[in-house]
Amino acid sequence: MSIQAVGLKAYSNALGNFMKAEQATRATAAPTASGVQARSFTNTLSESLTKVNDMQTEKSQMIQAFASGETQNVHELMITLQKAGLAVNMTSAVRNKVMEAYKELSRIQF
């Protein structure tokens, strides 16, 4: 189960919108260190999602190669399956924590 191109495009669009909003905020306010942190966060998030997608693609290729008889190395296949599964689980856990934080912030009354 690899991340579809549509999903990556949606993440890219969301990150692009976030960057535009961040730039608009920076244009009206004095530059701070938080602007640098936000930029590196978006880059880190984008790179991480790309790595997870690459792991899922590699997993699919190894499964196909094993099923077709091209390779017989079960150990590498199992290691790749575990790495890809762990990456997806960690990505899901981070997403869930971010959503919980967002919900908590939305409950705050000003």
Side-chain angles (χ1 to χ4, degrees):
M1 163 190 5
S2 63
I3 298 173
Q4 299 296 324
V6 175
L8 282 176
K9 186 175 180 181
Y11 278 116
S12 297
N13 287 341
L15 289 174
N17 291 341
F18 177 78
M19 290 299 292
K20 287 177 187 175
E22 184 68 26
Q23 288 173 351
T25 303
R26 258 189 264 132
T28 58
T32 62
S34 65
V36 174
Q37 290 175 348
R39 194 173 325 124
S40 72
F41 174 75
T42 57
N43 290 341
T44 302
L45 183 63
S46 179
E47 289 171 7
S48 297
L49 289 174
T50 302
K51 287 179 185 178
V52 170
N53 188 46
D54 292 343
M55 285 182 186
Q56 290 294 320
T57 304
E58 181 184 3
K59 178 189 83 166
S60 297
Q61 291 172 350
M62 288 193 75
I63 289 172
Q64 288 177 354
F66 185 77
S68 66
E70 292 175 21
T71 61
Q72 297 296 322
N73 196 343
V74 177
H75 300 291
E76 281 187 33
L77 176 64
M78 294 307 294
I79 290 170
T80 302
L81 289 172
Q82 289 298 318
K83 285 169 69 175
L86 184 61
V88 169
N89 288 342
M90 292 297 292
T91 302
S92 179
V94 168
R95 178 207 165 269
N96 291 340
K97 287 292 185 181
V98 168
M99 292 303 293
E100 286 176 24
Y102 174 76
K103 287 178 184 176
E104 186 68 28
L105 287 174
S106 67
R107 283 187 229 135
I108 294 175
Q109 295 181 3
F110 293 100

XYZ file of all heavy atoms in Angstrom:
831
model
N 0.842 -1.163 0.000
C 0.000 0.000 0.000
C 0.893 1.234 0.000
O 1.351 1.667 1.027
C -0.897 -0.042 1.230
C -1.473 1.284 1.509
S -2.352 1.676 3.010
C -2.307 0.402 4.103
N 1.173 1.776 -1.147
C 1.984 2.984 -1.208
C 1.071 4.206 -1.239
O -0.097 4.121 -1.579
C 2.882 2.964 -2.442
O 2.104 2.953 -3.611
N 1.630 5.317 -0.847
C 0.872 6.560 -0.842
C 0.660 6.966 -2.297
O 1.601 7.034 -3.077
C 1.637 7.661 -0.079
C 1.829 7.249 1.371
C 0.891 8.985 -0.159
C 2.702 8.192 2.152
N -0.573 7.193 -2.648
C -0.910 7.537 -4.020
C -0.428 8.950 -4.342
O -0.244 9.785 -3.462
C -2.425 7.446 -4.222
C -2.975 6.060 -3.987
C -2.450 5.040 -4.971
O -2.234 5.330 -6.135
N -2.204 3.836 -4.486
N -0.236 9.195 -5.638
C 0.220 10.509 -6.088
C -0.765 11.598 -5.678
O -0.369 12.726 -5.379
C 0.412 10.509 -7.598
N -2.040 11.265 -5.638
C -3.056 12.241 -5.232
C -2.833 12.659 -3.786
O -2.940 13.836 -3.439
C -4.472 11.643 -5.415
C -5.535 12.577 -4.887
C -4.722 11.320 -6.871
N -2.491 11.690 -2.917
C -2.232 12.002 -1.517
C -1.025 12.898 -1.354
O -1.040 13.859 -0.583
N 0.050 12.581 -2.090
C 1.244 13.429 -2.024
C 0.957 14.826 -2.551
O 1.457 15.818 -2.015
C 2.384 12.800 -2.813
C 3.105 11.656 -2.135
C 4.150 11.067 -3.069
C 3.746 12.101 -0.860
N 0.135 14.909 -3.599
C -0.212 16.218 -4.152
C -1.013 17.027 -3.135
O -0.792 18.224 -2.973
C -1.007 16.049 -5.442
C -1.276 17.340 -6.158
C -1.950 17.100 -7.488
C -2.198 18.430 -8.190
N -2.861 18.246 -9.469
N -1.915 16.351 -2.412
C -2.705 17.043 -1.389
C -1.804 17.559 -0.276
O -1.963 18.692 0.191
C -3.771 16.108 -0.824
N -0.851 16.718 0.173
C 0.087 17.175 1.196
C 0.914 18.349 0.679
O 1.153 19.329 1.390
C 1.032 16.048 1.616
C 0.442 15.110 2.634
C 0.227 13.780 2.323
C 0.124 15.550 3.907
C -0.316 12.908 3.249
C -0.414 14.691 4.837
C -0.631 13.367 4.503
O -1.167 12.524 5.432
N 1.367 18.265 -0.574
C 2.168 19.348 -1.147
C 1.369 20.643 -1.217
O 1.889 21.716 -0.912
C 2.664 18.963 -2.543
O 3.498 17.851 -2.472
N 0.106 20.539 -1.628
C -0.742 21.731 -1.688
C -0.960 22.330 -0.305
O -0.918 23.542 -0.134
C -2.089 21.392 -2.322
C -1.983 21.161 -3.808
O -1.022 21.575 -4.452
N -2.956 20.471 -4.373
N -1.188 21.463 0.684
C -1.380 21.954 2.046
C -0.119 22.641 2.554
O -0.182 23.702 3.184
C -1.776 20.807 2.975
N 1.041 22.035 2.264
C 2.293 22.657 2.682
C 2.517 23.977 1.954
O 3.006 24.942 2.545
C 3.467 21.704 2.430
C 3.550 20.499 3.346
C 4.670 19.572 2.895
C 3.762 20.919 4.773
N 2.147 24.024 0.670
C 2.274 25.265 -0.092
C 1.406 26.362 0.485
O 1.832 27.515 0.609
N 0.172 26.011 0.838
C -0.729 26.992 1.451
C -0.185 27.472 2.786
O -0.281 28.647 3.121
C -2.125 26.392 1.636
C -2.826 26.166 0.323
O -2.462 26.757 -0.688
N -3.819 25.302 0.331
N 0.386 26.541 3.559
C 0.972 26.912 4.843
C 2.131 27.875 4.634
O 2.269 28.857 5.350
C 1.436 25.652 5.581
C 2.122 25.952 6.881
C 1.392 26.288 8.006
C 3.499 25.918 6.970
C 2.025 26.572 9.193
C 4.137 26.205 8.158
C 3.400 26.529 9.276
N 2.970 27.595 3.636
C 4.122 28.454 3.368
C 3.668 29.849 2.927
O 4.252 30.850 3.324
C 5.029 27.834 2.305
C 5.778 26.599 2.789
S 6.863 26.927 4.182
C 8.077 27.950 3.388
N 2.621 29.927 2.105
C 2.103 31.224 1.666
C 1.587 32.020 2.862
O 1.839 33.222 2.968
C 0.991 31.034 0.642
C 1.488 30.578 -0.708
C 0.332 30.346 -1.655
C 0.814 29.732 -2.953
N -0.314 29.389 -3.837
N 0.858 31.361 3.750
C 0.339 32.040 4.941
C 1.490 32.497 5.840
O 1.455 33.589 6.404
C -0.605 31.114 5.713
N 2.511 31.642 5.955
C 3.676 31.989 6.774
C 4.415 33.192 6.182
O 4.835 34.094 6.910
C 4.614 30.780 6.875
C 5.797 30.988 7.776
C 5.411 31.095 9.243
O 4.379 30.561 9.640
O 6.161 31.748 9.984
N 4.547 33.241 4.866
C 5.217 34.360 4.223
C 4.417 35.643 4.388
O 4.985 36.708 4.588
C 5.447 34.057 2.743
C 6.518 33.021 2.503
C 6.632 32.609 1.044
O 5.805 32.979 0.227
N 7.655 31.830 0.731
N 3.099 35.546 4.311
C 2.255 36.723 4.511
C 2.380 37.236 5.939
O 2.449 38.443 6.168
C 0.802 36.386 4.193
N 2.452 36.323 6.885
C 2.616 36.716 8.284
C 3.966 37.368 8.495
O 4.082 38.392 9.176
C 2.469 35.487 9.206
O 1.205 34.895 8.976
C 2.594 35.873 10.664
N 5.013 36.791 7.896
C 6.356 37.346 8.034
C 6.471 38.713 7.383
O 7.223 39.570 7.840
C 7.387 36.394 7.417
C 8.114 35.598 8.454
C 9.256 34.840 7.850
N 8.766 33.500 7.581
C 8.919 32.838 6.467
N 9.593 33.357 5.489
N 8.424 31.642 6.310
N 5.729 38.941 6.307
C 5.791 40.223 5.613
C 5.223 41.344 6.474
O 5.680 42.480 6.402
C 5.043 40.147 4.293
N 4.222 41.026 7.310
C 3.609 42.059 8.144
C 4.300 42.219 9.489
O 4.158 43.246 10.124
C 2.123 41.737 8.393
O 2.019 40.460 9.018
C 1.347 41.738 7.085
N 5.029 41.199 9.919
C 5.699 41.255 11.215
C 7.214 41.259 11.028
O 7.723 40.976 9.961
C 5.287 40.047 12.061
N 7.911 41.568 12.104
C 9.379 41.553 12.071
C 9.858 40.112 11.971
O 9.243 39.200 12.517
C 9.927 42.203 13.332
N 10.968 39.878 11.263
C 11.485 38.513 11.149
C 11.899 37.964 12.512
O 12.501 38.660 13.314
C 12.709 38.660 10.247
C 12.712 40.046 9.736
C 11.752 40.842 10.538
N 11.541 36.702 12.748
C 11.877 36.044 14.000
C 12.476 34.683 13.708
O 12.454 34.208 12.579
C 10.631 35.849 14.886
O 9.717 35.000 14.180
C 9.948 37.169 15.206
N 12.968 34.061 14.745
C 13.535 32.721 14.610
C 12.451 31.698 14.299
O 12.725 30.668 13.706
C 14.280 32.327 15.881
N 11.198 31.960 14.684
C 10.124 30.991 14.437
C 9.876 30.808 12.943
O 9.441 29.752 12.516
C 8.845 31.405 15.137
O 8.359 32.617 14.590
N 10.127 31.818 12.130
C 9.986 31.687 10.682
C 10.938 30.651 10.127
O 10.590 29.855 9.271
N 12.146 30.615 10.651
C 13.127 29.625 10.221
C 12.692 28.237 10.672
O 12.783 27.271 9.924
C 14.524 29.974 10.780
C 15.517 28.881 10.463
C 14.991 31.305 10.229
N 12.184 28.127 11.893
C 11.729 26.842 12.403
C 10.552 26.317 11.595
O 10.483 25.145 11.289
C 11.341 26.952 13.866
C 12.527 27.159 14.777
C 12.105 27.394 16.213
O 10.937 27.627 16.494
N 13.057 27.351 17.106
N 9.619 27.171 11.218
C 8.464 26.736 10.448
C 8.897 26.228 9.078
O 8.391 25.246 8.581
C 7.464 27.881 10.296
N 9.846 26.904 8.462
C 10.318 26.485 7.154
C 10.991 25.126 7.248
O 10.759 24.253 6.436
C 11.283 27.531 6.588
C 11.546 27.324 5.129
C 12.363 28.444 4.490
N 12.085 29.754 5.013
C 13.002 30.561 5.540
N 14.256 30.188 5.610
N 12.691 31.735 5.994
N 11.814 24.911 8.256
C 12.481 23.632 8.375
C 11.493 22.532 8.747
O 11.664 21.390 8.346
C 13.627 23.697 9.390
O 13.127 23.786 10.698
N 10.439 22.858 9.484
C 9.421 21.866 9.820
C 8.712 21.381 8.563
O 8.515 20.179 8.383
C 8.408 22.437 10.811
C 7.261 21.510 11.091
C 7.439 20.402 11.896
C 6.020 21.734 10.528
C 6.394 19.530 12.151
C 4.973 20.871 10.770
C 5.162 19.764 11.592
N 8.329 22.308 7.697
C 7.637 21.900 6.473
C 8.550 21.081 5.575
O 8.110 20.106 4.970
C 7.093 23.111 5.706
O 8.156 24.007 5.421
C 6.009 23.815 6.492
N 9.822 21.476 5.494
C 10.768 20.695 4.691
C 10.953 19.309 5.281
O 10.986 18.314 4.548
C 12.121 21.403 4.605
C 12.065 22.651 3.758
O 11.158 22.826 2.955
N 13.022 23.532 3.949
N 11.078 19.230 6.595
C 11.248 17.938 7.260
C 10.026 17.067 7.046
O 10.154 15.868 6.749
C 11.485 18.144 8.765
O 12.634 18.963 8.943
C 11.686 16.827 9.477
N 8.855 17.639 7.169
C 7.616 16.882 6.962
C 7.523 16.368 5.529
O 7.203 15.195 5.305
C 6.415 17.760 7.291
C 5.048 17.103 7.192
C 4.931 15.975 8.210
C 3.962 18.138 7.417
N 7.811 17.216 4.590
C 7.764 16.819 3.182
C 8.769 15.712 2.879
O 8.442 14.726 2.206
C 8.027 18.033 2.298
O 8.019 17.664 0.942
N 9.992 15.862 3.382
C 11.023 14.846 3.151
C 10.636 13.517 3.814
O 10.850 12.448 3.238
C 12.367 15.321 3.693
C 12.983 16.438 2.883
C 14.202 17.053 3.563
O 14.648 16.530 4.612
O 14.699 18.061 3.041
N 10.060 13.592 4.993
C 9.654 12.373 5.700
C 8.559 11.636 4.942
O 8.600 10.410 4.817
C 9.171 12.706 7.107
O 10.221 13.253 7.859
N 7.583 12.365 4.447
C 6.515 11.726 3.680
C 7.049 11.107 2.392
O 6.610 10.030 1.982
C 5.408 12.725 3.376
C 4.570 13.153 4.567
C 3.598 14.255 4.175
C 3.822 11.974 5.156
N 8.011 11.762 1.781
C 8.629 11.210 0.574
C 9.371 9.921 0.895
O 9.279 8.936 0.146
C 9.588 12.238 -0.054
O 8.851 13.425 -0.360
C 10.216 11.698 -1.330
N 10.087 9.892 2.016
C 10.803 8.680 2.420
C 9.846 7.530 2.711
O 10.099 6.394 2.332
C 11.681 8.948 3.641
C 12.909 9.768 3.336
C 13.722 10.015 4.590
C 14.893 10.927 4.325
N 15.660 11.210 5.551
N 8.739 7.826 3.384
C 7.749 6.793 3.674
C 7.165 6.248 2.373
O 7.000 5.036 2.207
C 6.629 7.340 4.598
C 5.471 6.360 4.703
C 7.188 7.649 5.964
N 6.879 7.144 1.436
C 6.358 6.708 0.144
C 7.383 5.832 -0.589
O 7.020 4.820 -1.186
C 5.982 7.908 -0.712
C 5.274 7.495 -1.976
O 4.373 6.661 -1.938
N 5.679 8.052 -3.096
N 8.658 6.217 -0.526
C 9.712 5.421 -1.165
C 9.809 4.033 -0.536
O 9.999 3.038 -1.245
C 11.057 6.132 -1.077
C 11.119 7.399 -1.920
O 10.262 7.563 -2.818
O 12.017 8.231 -1.663
N 9.671 3.953 0.781
C 9.707 2.652 1.454
C 8.541 1.776 1.015
O 8.700 0.577 0.811
C 9.676 2.832 2.972
C 10.953 3.310 3.568
S 10.754 3.400 5.359
C 12.299 4.138 5.814
N 7.369 2.382 0.890
C 6.200 1.625 0.453
C 6.362 1.131 -0.986
O 5.998 -0.003 -1.308
C 4.934 2.482 0.572
C 4.509 2.759 1.981
C 4.065 1.505 2.691
O 3.395 0.652 2.135
N 4.455 1.379 3.951
N 6.938 1.963 -1.844
C 7.188 1.568 -3.228
C 8.204 0.434 -3.287
O 8.020 -0.539 -4.027
C 7.676 2.778 -4.042
O 6.715 3.831 -3.934
C 7.864 2.419 -5.502
N 9.278 0.551 -2.496
C 10.290 -0.502 -2.451
C 9.685 -1.812 -1.949
O 9.980 -2.887 -2.478
C 11.443 -0.078 -1.545
C 12.550 -1.097 -1.446
C 13.640 -0.704 -0.469
O 13.517 0.348 0.195
O 14.611 -1.469 -0.366
N 8.822 -1.721 -0.952
C 8.150 -2.907 -0.420
C 7.339 -3.590 -1.506
O 7.414 -4.814 -1.691
C 7.249 -2.530 0.750
C 6.474 -3.705 1.326
C 5.445 -3.268 2.331
C 4.210 -2.842 1.595
N 3.022 -2.688 2.409
N 6.567 -2.805 -2.254
C 5.746 -3.368 -3.329
C 6.601 -4.035 -4.401
O 6.271 -5.128 -4.885
C 4.885 -2.282 -3.968
O 3.992 -1.748 -3.035
N 7.713 -3.405 -4.747
C 8.608 -3.977 -5.757
C 9.227 -5.280 -5.268
O 9.338 -6.239 -6.039
C 9.703 -2.978 -6.126
C 9.194 -1.787 -6.892
C 10.250 -0.710 -7.071
O 11.322 -0.761 -6.470
N 9.947 0.283 -7.903
N 9.617 -5.320 -4.002
C 10.219 -6.543 -3.468
C 9.205 -7.673 -3.382
O 9.536 -8.832 -3.635
C 10.856 -6.275 -2.106
C 12.131 -5.459 -2.211
S 13.076 -5.450 -0.703
C 13.769 -7.080 -0.728
N 7.970 -7.357 -3.044
C 6.925 -8.378 -3.002
C 6.698 -8.947 -4.400
O 6.597 -10.162 -4.582
C 5.615 -7.810 -2.413
C 5.783 -7.560 -0.924
C 4.435 -8.745 -2.662
C 4.618 -6.826 -0.280
N 6.634 -8.070 -5.395
C 6.440 -8.533 -6.767
C 7.614 -9.377 -7.241
O 7.426 -10.403 -7.902
C 6.225 -7.351 -7.707
C 4.878 -6.681 -7.527
C 4.708 -5.469 -8.414
O 5.635 -5.038 -9.095
N 3.502 -4.895 -8.400
N 8.839 -8.958 -6.905
C 10.020 -9.709 -7.306
C 10.044 -11.083 -6.633
O 10.398 -12.090 -7.264
C 11.288 -8.937 -6.972
N 9.651 -11.142 -5.385
C 9.628 -12.422 -4.670
C 8.530 -13.328 -5.219
O 8.739 -14.526 -5.419
C 9.432 -12.188 -3.175
C 9.526 -13.439 -2.356
C 10.759 -13.996 -2.069
C 8.384 -14.065 -1.882
C 10.861 -15.154 -1.311
C 8.465 -15.224 -1.128
C 9.709 -15.771 -0.844
N 7.359 -12.752 -5.489
C 6.238 -13.544 -5.992
C 6.510 -14.082 -7.396
O 6.081 -15.181 -7.731
C 4.963 -12.714 -5.995
N 7.245 -13.323 -8.194
C 7.544 -13.776 -9.557
C 8.746 -14.705 -9.606
O 9.052 -15.265 -10.657
C 7.782 -12.577 -10.469
O 8.955 -11.888 -10.074
N 9.438 -14.868 -8.487
C 10.573 -15.780 -8.438
C 11.901 -15.160 -8.826
O 12.901 -15.864 -8.952
N 11.930 -13.852 -9.018
C 13.177 -13.183 -9.382
C 14.187 -13.249 -8.245
O 15.375 -13.378 -8.487
C 12.909 -11.719 -9.755
C 12.120 -11.546 -11.025
C 11.769 -10.097 -11.284
O 12.449 -9.197 -10.736
O 10.813 -9.857 -12.035
N 13.714 -13.106 -7.010
C 14.596 -13.181 -5.846
C 14.049 -14.218 -4.876
O 12.851 -14.479 -4.838
C 14.705 -11.829 -5.111
O 13.419 -11.454 -4.652
C 15.281 -10.751 -6.014
N 14.940 -14.778 -4.089
C 14.547 -15.787 -3.102
C 14.948 -15.377 -1.690
O 14.871 -16.183 -0.777
C 15.211 -17.138 -3.450
C 14.773 -17.708 -4.776
C 13.288 -18.058 -4.799
O 12.750 -18.540 -3.805
N 12.629 -17.793 -5.907
N 15.394 -14.146 -1.510
C 15.878 -13.685 -0.215
C 14.704 -13.268 0.669
O 14.223 -12.133 0.612
C 16.868 -12.534 -0.397
C 17.664 -12.282 0.848
O 17.299 -12.725 1.933
N 18.758 -11.555 0.691
N 14.265 -14.181 1.501
C 13.124 -13.935 2.378
C 13.492 -12.935 3.472
O 12.664 -12.109 3.877
C 12.627 -15.259 3.005
C 11.485 -15.011 3.966
C 12.224 -16.232 1.927
N 14.738 -12.976 3.924
C 15.169 -12.097 5.020
C 15.074 -10.634 4.623
O 14.542 -9.811 5.379
C 16.589 -12.443 5.458
C 16.729 -13.845 5.946
N 16.160 -14.279 7.117
C 17.357 -14.920 5.409
C 16.428 -15.558 7.297
N 17.147 -15.978 6.266
N 15.574 -10.298 3.439
C 15.498 -8.904 2.991
C 14.052 -8.479 2.795
O 13.686 -7.347 3.115
C 16.279 -8.717 1.687
C 17.765 -8.601 1.870
C 18.465 -8.253 0.570
O 17.875 -7.524 -0.257
O 19.591 -8.716 0.389
N 13.236 -9.390 2.279
C 11.823 -9.083 2.081
C 11.148 -8.777 3.410
O 10.438 -7.771 3.540
C 11.110 -10.252 1.388
C 9.603 -10.106 1.212
C 9.273 -8.944 0.290
C 9.009 -11.396 0.691
N 11.392 -9.598 4.413
C 10.763 -9.386 5.716
C 11.268 -8.108 6.386
O 10.489 -7.380 7.007
C 10.998 -10.591 6.633
C 10.310 -11.860 6.160
S 8.545 -11.651 5.847
C 7.943 -11.319 7.477
N 12.548 -7.818 6.242
C 13.093 -6.581 6.814
C 12.455 -5.372 6.145
O 12.060 -4.407 6.807
C 14.634 -6.560 6.689
C 15.248 -7.589 7.629
C 15.179 -5.166 6.978
C 16.730 -7.815 7.415
N 12.324 -5.420 4.820
C 11.707 -4.313 4.088
C 10.242 -4.148 4.485
O 9.765 -3.016 4.659
C 11.819 -4.549 2.568
O 13.189 -4.690 2.219
C 11.225 -3.397 1.782
N 9.536 -5.264 4.635
C 8.133 -5.200 5.073
C 8.011 -4.556 6.452
O 7.128 -3.716 6.690
C 7.520 -6.596 5.102
C 7.243 -7.268 3.762
C 6.818 -8.710 3.967
C 6.186 -6.514 2.991
N 8.883 -4.942 7.366
C 8.832 -4.385 8.724
C 9.186 -2.898 8.730
O 8.542 -2.107 9.435
C 9.772 -5.158 9.647
C 9.284 -6.552 9.962
C 7.952 -6.549 10.688
O 7.714 -5.746 11.578
N 7.063 -7.437 10.282
N 10.206 -2.520 7.958
C 10.604 -1.108 7.902
C 9.466 -0.257 7.343
O 9.158 0.809 7.879
C 11.863 -0.939 7.057
C 13.131 -1.390 7.757
C 14.313 -1.474 6.827
C 14.805 -0.157 6.344
N 16.037 -0.288 5.532
N 8.849 -0.722 6.264
C 7.765 0.037 5.645
C 6.559 0.114 6.583
O 5.939 1.179 6.721
C 7.375 -0.597 4.319
N 6.234 -0.992 7.237
C 5.111 -0.990 8.172
C 5.347 -0.064 9.348
O 4.446 0.671 9.769
N 6.555 -0.088 9.876
C 6.892 0.785 10.999
C 6.838 2.259 10.581
O 6.346 3.105 11.331
C 8.284 0.443 11.533
C 8.748 1.200 12.763
C 7.824 0.938 13.935
C 10.164 0.786 13.115
N 7.314 2.557 9.372
C 7.282 3.941 8.882
C 5.849 4.437 8.750
O 5.531 5.568 9.141
C 8.011 4.037 7.543
N 4.958 3.593 8.232
C 3.556 3.995 8.093
C 2.916 4.166 9.468
O 2.163 5.128 9.700
C 2.780 2.967 7.238
C 1.286 3.214 7.307
C 3.246 3.023 5.796
N 3.211 3.259 10.385
C 2.654 3.375 11.737
C 3.132 4.646 12.431
O 2.348 5.326 13.112
C 3.014 2.151 12.572
C 2.256 0.916 12.150
O 1.235 1.010 11.478
N 2.763 -0.241 12.519
N 4.393 4.970 12.291
C 4.921 6.189 12.913
C 4.311 7.440 12.274
O 3.979 8.400 12.966
C 6.450 6.232 12.797
C 7.149 5.189 13.625
S 6.862 5.394 15.393
C 7.735 6.895 15.697
N 4.159 7.420 10.959
C 3.535 8.554 10.268
C 2.100 8.732 10.733
O 1.650 9.857 10.983
C 3.580 8.335 8.742
O 4.930 8.168 8.334
C 2.968 9.508 8.003
N 1.397 7.630 10.891
C 0.017 7.681 11.374
C -0.035 8.203 12.806
O -0.917 9.007 13.145
C -0.604 6.292 11.293
O -1.905 6.308 11.773
N 0.899 7.791 13.644
C 0.932 8.257 15.030
C 1.206 9.759 15.094
O 0.566 10.480 15.876
C 1.993 7.491 15.817
N 2.123 10.238 14.269
C 2.422 11.678 14.243
C 1.198 12.445 13.764
O 0.828 13.478 14.336
C 3.651 11.965 13.355
C 3.804 13.448 13.087
C 4.907 11.407 13.996
N 0.542 11.938 12.733
C -0.667 12.583 12.220
C -1.733 12.660 13.306
O -2.376 13.702 13.498
C -1.213 11.815 11.025
C -2.501 12.389 10.472
C -3.312 11.281 9.783
N -4.656 11.696 9.571
C -5.665 11.504 10.427
N -5.460 10.911 11.573
N -6.885 11.909 10.156
N -1.926 11.562 14.027
C -2.935 11.545 15.082
C -2.605 12.549 16.187
O -3.497 13.233 16.704
C -3.076 10.141 15.666
C -3.707 9.174 14.686
O -4.362 9.584 13.731
N -3.493 7.894 14.905
N -1.336 12.659 16.557
C -0.946 13.628 17.591
C -1.166 15.060 17.105
O -1.611 15.920 17.874
C 0.527 13.434 17.975
C 0.764 12.199 18.792
C 0.131 12.328 20.151
C 0.473 11.139 21.016
N -0.148 11.211 22.324
N -0.871 15.323 15.850
C -1.083 16.661 15.299
C -2.574 16.988 15.291
O -2.976 18.103 15.635
C -0.477 16.778 13.884
C -0.930 18.038 13.177
C 1.041 16.741 13.960
N -3.398 16.009 14.923
C -4.841 16.237 14.916
C -5.374 16.470 16.325
O -6.236 17.335 16.535
C -5.570 15.059 14.256
C -5.310 14.933 12.769
S -5.736 16.416 11.841
C -7.498 16.433 12.031
N -4.851 15.729 17.312
C -5.258 15.952 18.697
C -4.874 17.350 19.155
O -5.656 18.033 19.824
C -4.605 14.920 19.608
C -5.193 13.537 19.513
C -4.447 12.533 20.376
O -3.798 12.952 21.368
O -4.517 11.342 20.065
N -3.681 17.785 18.794
C -3.233 19.128 19.167
C -4.101 20.190 18.503
O -4.482 21.192 19.139
C -1.771 19.319 18.781
N -4.455 19.978 17.247
C -5.315 20.926 16.539
C -6.691 21.017 17.207
O -7.225 22.103 17.404
C -5.469 20.510 15.073
C -6.449 21.362 14.314
C -6.099 22.647 13.898
C -7.729 20.900 14.042
C -7.007 23.440 13.219
C -8.637 21.683 13.362
C -8.268 22.953 12.948
O -9.165 23.737 12.288
N -7.248 19.855 17.558
C -8.559 19.843 18.227
C -8.484 20.559 19.569
O -9.399 21.292 19.947
C -9.045 18.411 18.409
C -9.495 17.765 17.120
C -9.911 16.333 17.340
C -10.264 15.658 16.037
N -10.592 14.237 16.216
N -7.390 20.337 20.282
C -7.210 21.007 21.583
C -7.114 22.517 21.401
O -7.716 23.286 22.154
C -5.949 20.466 22.268
C -5.756 20.976 23.670
C -6.793 20.463 24.643
O -7.340 19.367 24.435
O -7.065 21.180 25.627
N -6.389 22.950 20.388
C -6.288 24.388 20.118
C -7.617 24.974 19.689
O -7.923 26.126 20.028
C -5.234 24.649 19.041
C -3.776 24.485 19.470
C -2.845 24.618 18.281
C -3.427 25.495 20.554
N -8.407 24.212 18.955
C -9.696 24.740 18.513
C -10.679 24.872 19.674
O -11.629 25.648 19.585
C -10.290 23.852 17.410
O -10.642 22.593 17.925
N -10.460 24.132 20.758
C -11.330 24.221 21.927
C -10.998 25.419 22.812
O -11.799 25.799 23.671
C -11.229 22.948 22.754
C -11.991 21.812 22.156
C -12.013 20.627 23.101
N -11.615 19.480 22.289
C -10.769 18.552 22.618
N -10.193 18.564 23.793
N -10.460 17.581 21.799
N -9.835 26.008 22.623
C -9.417 27.152 23.438
C -10.299 28.359 23.074
O -10.461 28.686 21.913
C -7.938 27.485 23.224
C -7.056 26.350 23.736
C -7.574 28.810 23.913
C -5.588 26.542 23.452
N -10.855 29.015 24.103
C -11.666 30.194 23.869
C -10.823 31.436 24.085
O -10.067 31.541 25.028
C -12.853 30.202 24.818
C -13.810 29.047 24.563
C -14.994 29.094 25.515
O -15.120 30.015 26.319
N -15.860 28.124 25.398
N -10.998 32.394 23.177
C -10.227 33.631 23.259
C -11.026 34.715 23.892
O -12.151 34.900 23.817
C -9.754 34.075 21.868
C -8.758 33.138 21.289
C -9.131 32.182 20.352
C -7.443 33.192 21.685
C -8.207 31.324 19.820
C -6.496 32.335 21.161
C -6.882 31.394 20.220
